Amino acid sequence: MNTNSIEVALSLTAPMHVAYPDNYVKSEGLSKTITQTITVGDKKMSLPYYPANGFRGGLRRVIADMICDSIAVTEGTISGELYNGLHCGASSSSPDQTAKSIEEIIRARSHVYMGLFGGGARTHESMYAASDMLPILNATISAGMVPARYRDGYVSQIVGKDGVVRHIEPYELIDARHFVRIDDLYRVMDPVGINKTVTSPVEAVTSHQEAIGIHRAQDEEILKNEGKKHPRDVSQLQSVQTIAAGTPMFFRIDMKSDATEAQAGALLLGIAGLLTQNNFGCMGRWGFGRVKPLDISMNFGGELTGGLFENNAEFSMPENMARYVDQARKEIAAIRTADIAAFFEDFSADKKAAKKAAKAAQ
């Protein structure tokens, strides 16, 4: 049984909003945060969460940055194609159909970057899987989504309106935040500043106010019915759903049984990098999506390491994980351009070019 895994508990220190396609409900004027449906017993619930795909790209980019920085010191700059390949997983939208050799598979699988994240011109397999970041609730523990050990100290109870003590339900984590953008020129919010900095201030304000307001009364009903606002009116009321600040969250990363210590260390470095960036989900400009890491645990080959994060300001890993982190740093520092670029070389490039030229000549 594979036991290679990393588990992280953290707490939201700010609301979190995660957009998704068609999440804006025009009738409510509300941008919804992403949810998934879970079943606990005979109850179906809508659970807000942070999707796993956010980790996949984020972790890769943290390690890609480390590789690029290291190569810049040892060898100098790299090509834009290689930079893009390291950060995106592929340099082209058209994978190389050349069969992977056994030698390349073995070379990639043991590589601290390629083995862990996969990709490249011939789409090597990744050696890890990330879970969604989930609220730690009685519901998610009961559904088996979060380990039961997090029940004590993480799962809160509240007193309902009926005076009965109960667990928080997933829907109670969802709140709505409202923001108003003001049209400064229309409302003349800073008359002194406008007078000092705007060309022909009186005429500019009058023209702007008339453009928006002179026909507002007769146009208001038409614009409302069409779901539109005046084209020159920049004022706006925006409402977004969020997961409440203070919500304890959990995510897990599983590694293949033949993952190396350096690859485990690279995941730890990637997690530390994401926590240092501290920008999960959307609306980071409003301070959304910030977290406080609580504890981390890793089971690698039956060896248990982890504990509380030692410095929440820098998100440093517990000392007993240093061996894995040090090995990852060592192997990342040893990467050279020629070695990593080989994984992104398209062996069928000439064949593709000839096919494209022949098609164009028809």
Side-chain angles (χ1 to χ4, degrees):
M1 180 178 177
N2 178 29
T3 59
N4 294 340
S5 64
I6 301 171
E7 296 181 338
V8 179
L10 40 82
S11 176
L12 297 184
T13 60
M16 178 185 288
H17 171 77
V18 184
Y20 59 94
D22 300 321
N23 71 321
Y24 181 71
V25 182
K26 185 163 60 174
S27 61
E28 301 178 29
L30 179 68
S31 294
K32 292 194 171 184
T33 193
I34 193 168
T35 60
Q36 59 179 285
T37 301
I38 66 170
T39 302
V40 181
D42 59 354
K43 296 178 66 176
K44 189 167 71 171
M45 305 177 180
S46 185
L47 179 75
Y49 69 106
Y50 177 81
N53 62 294
F55 291 118
R56 296 288 304 182
L59 292 169
R60 179 189 288 273
R61 286 176 173 84
V62 170
I63 304 305
D65 282 340
M66 293 182 66
I67 293 172
C68 291
D69 290 345
S70 175
I71 290 178
V73 172
T74 57
E75 297 180 89
T77 57
I78 60 175
S79 69
E81 289 77 10
L82 180 55
Y83 177 91
N84 210 33
L86 288 169
H87 286 78
C88 302
S91 299
S92 168
S93 60
S94 176
D96 182 1
Q97 299 301 318
T98 306
K100 295 187 285 286
S101 68
I102 295 298
E103 182 277 331
E104 185 181 38
I105 292 173
I106 294 174
R107 178 160 43 90
R109 202 163 180 83
S110 61
H111 193 278
V112 63
Y113 170 89
M114 285 304 302
L116 188 60
F117 298 110
R122 285 160 294 286
T123 318
H124 285 277
E125 180 185 8
S126 170
M127 293 182 68
Y128 82 99
S131 77
D132 298 322
M133 185 194 295
L134 304 167
I136 301 176
L137 299 169
N138 182 63
T140 52
I141 292 175
S142 297
M145 304 170 78
V146 174
R149 71 174 185 276
Y150 288 103
R151 189 181 299 278
D152 294 336
Y154 290 92
V155 176
S156 300
Q157 293 182 319
I158 60 174
V159 179
K161 292 181 180 180
D162 56 2
V164 177
V165 177
R166 62 176 179 80
H167 293 292
I168 295 175
E169 299 283 3
Y171 75 89
E172 293 178 297
L173 299 177
I174 300 177
D175 193 11
R177 299 290 297 272
H178 310 284
F179 301 87
V180 178
R181 183 171 67 188
I182 296 173
D183 189 322
D184 287 50
L185 195 60
Y186 182 83
R187 297 194 184 187
V188 195
M189 297 298 292
D190 180 12
V192 175
I194 291 173
N195 190 58
K196 185 172 67 173
T197 60
V198 175
T199 302
S200 302
V202 175
E203 292 80 358
V205 170
T206 301
S207 174
H208 185 65
Q209 289 177 332
E210 286 181 349
I212 295 172
I214 196 168
H215 298 299
R216 184 185 290 272
Q218 57 264 46
D219 290 350
E220 188 174 41
E221 192 63 29
I222 297 174
L223 292 170
K224 181 179 179 182
N225 291 337
E226 294 179 356
K228 299 177 182 178
K229 58 198 294 291
H230 197 287
R232 292 185 62 181
D233 186 357
V234 299
S235 61
Q236 182 183 36
L237 172 64
Q238 186 172 1
S239 300
V240 296
Q241 277 187 342
T242 62
I243 307 175
T247 300
M249 305 287 283
F250 163 87
F251 69 90
R252 174 186 173 109
I253 293 176
D254 290 288
M255 293 168 275
K256 299 275 187 176
S257 59
D258 57 337
T260 68
E261 288 192 0
Q263 290 165 347
L267 282 174
L268 294 176
L269 286 170
I271 291 170
L274 292 181
L275 292 174
T276 299
Q277 293 170 12
N278 209 359
N279 183 16
F280 295 90
C282 309
M283 306 299 183
R285 63 186 181 278
W286 291 342
F288 282 13
R290 295 186 177 277
V291 303
K292 174 184 178 181
L294 300 174
D295 69 59
I296 184 170
S297 61
M298 183 169 74
N299 187 341
F300 189 82
E303 180 181 5
L304 298 176
T305 55
L308 298 177
F309 281 85
E310 296 181 356
N311 185 334
N312 284 333
E314 298 179 358
F315 306 128
S316 58
M317 296 292 169
E319 183 60 34
N320 56 21
M321 292 178 159
R323 179 174 98 244
Y324 301 96
V325 172
D326 291 345
Q327 185 62 31
R329 291 187 185 279
K330 179 181 177 181
E331 294 194 18
I332 289 171
I335 292 174
R336 295 295 177 264
T337 303
D339 301 328
I340 193 68
F343 292 111
F344 293 91
E345 181 182 355
D346 188 347
F347 298 149
S348 64
D350 292 340
K351 184 178 179 180
K352 289 178 183 177
K355 184 177 180 181
K356 185 177 180 180
K359 186 176 181 180
Q362 291 178 352

